[in-house]
């Protein structure tokens, strides 16, 4: 099964090219936002995904357009790479500790996009990344991937750790959900997703 996708998206605000291999490969991330690069690198490494991403955005405005559009493109890549979503486990969940913080993620690769995001941050920024963009990124990703995504920070005090726990929990939950299932069918009482 060839579970790969190459996506490009150019708007007046951003110019993004992305190559995804769900079954692994090289990782190279450049968004112009150091903390987002760190989160996406962690996501790819812990999910064991091959991910090449180059994004240029209107960072002179702020990081919002770049972060959201990267989420859109990454979501579209997962949707394309998974095709009709048959032959995968479909569900996954993970708790990930990052020092004093604990993040939780549950995913359903269902074709029904939804986001439940339950996390509070005490700082406006981590590096040049606005902490509120975590939810914006995750919403863009979930809706363009066609997945139901639940994310929660159970507890924690350091915003860097809280956000990283969420990205790593997403990686581990997705790694489980995209695993091939036993018989290659769609895991659904409907027979299709």
């Amino acid at each position: 099964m060839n579970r790969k996708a190459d996506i490009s998206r150019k708007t007046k605000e951003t110019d993004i090219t992305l190559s995804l291999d769900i079954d692994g490969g090289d990782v190279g991330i450049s968004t112009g936002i150091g903390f987002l690069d760190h989160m996406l690198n962690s996501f790819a490494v812990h999910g064991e995904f091959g991910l090449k991403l180059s994004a240029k955005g209107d960072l002179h405005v702020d990081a919002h357009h770049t972060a959201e559009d990267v989420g859109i493109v990454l979501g579209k890549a997962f949707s394309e790479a998974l095709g009709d979503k048959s032959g995968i486990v479909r569900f996954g969940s993970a708790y990930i500790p990052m020092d004093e913080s604990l993040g939780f993620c549950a995913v359903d690769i269902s074709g029904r996009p939804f986001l439940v995001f339950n996390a509070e941050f005490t700082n406006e920024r981590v590096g040049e990344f606005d902490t509120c963009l975590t939810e914006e990124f995750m919403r863009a990703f979930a809706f363009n991937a066609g997945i139901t995504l639940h994310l929660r920070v159970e507890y924690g005090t350091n915003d860097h750790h809280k956000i990283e726990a969420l990205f790593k929990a997403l990686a581990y939950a997705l790694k489980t959900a995209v695993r091939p299932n036993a018989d290659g069918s769609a895991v659904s009482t409907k027979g299709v997703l």
Side-chain angles (χ1 to χ4, degrees):
M1 187 186 318
N2 183 7
R3 304 194 308 168
K4 299 178 181 179
D6 294 298
I7 305 282
S8 294
R9 183 175 192 265
K10 186 170 185 173
T11 71
K12 292 180 180 179
E13 298 167 339
T14 61
D15 186 356
I16 300 169
T17 57
L18 183 149
S19 181
L20 172 70
D21 186 338
I22 287 178
D23 298 308
D26 294 334
V27 176
I29 312 289
S30 177
T31 67
I33 308 164
F35 184 72
L36 183 58
D37 291 354
H38 176 42
M39 292 302 98
L40 292 169
N41 187 68
S42 292
F43 167 80
V45 168
H46 288 275
E48 299 179 14
F49 306 127
L51 181 61
K52 295 285 197 170
L53 169 65
S54 174
K56 294 183 176 99
D58 56 357
L59 298 179
H60 63 283
V61 176
D62 70 7
H64 187 286
H65 299 141
T66 302
E68 183 177 34
D69 287 6
V70 167
I72 288 170
V73 173
L74 184 61
K76 287 181 183 297
F78 266 89
S79 179
E80 183 177 310
L82 290 171
D84 67 1
K85 300 172 185 60
S86 63
I88 60 170
V89 171
R90 178 179 165 181
F91 297 98
S93 63
Y95 282 96
I96 296 294
M98 283 291 300
D99 296 345
E100 85 300 337
S101 298
L102 183 66
F104 171 75
C105 177
V107 298
D108 175 9
I109 302 176
S110 61
R112 294 186 310 275
F114 203 87
L115 174 68
V116 176
F117 187 90
N118 190 350
E120 293 183 12
F121 306 112
T122 54
N123 296 296
E124 187 176 318
R125 284 197 176 115
V126 176
E128 293 302 309
F129 182 80
D130 296 316
T131 54
C132 66
L133 295 180
T134 309
E135 183 173 4
E136 296 302 320
F137 172 89
M138 295 299 184
R139 179 178 293 107
F141 174 73
F143 276 73
N144 286 277
I147 65 173
T148 299
L149 175 59
H150 290 243
L151 290 158
R152 184 173 67 234
V153 172
E154 298 288 337
Y155 46 78
T157 55
N158 182 298
D159 287 342
H160 182 133
H161 294 160
K162 289 191 253 184
I163 295 169
E164 190 165 352
L166 292 178
F167 271 86
K168 287 179 177 175
L170 174 62
Y172 279 93
L174 275 175
K175 180 166 62 171
T176 298
V178 301
R179 271 194 343 242
N181 66 20
D183 64 4
S185 66
V187 180
S188 172
T189 55
K190 300 179 185 84
V192 295
L193 287 168

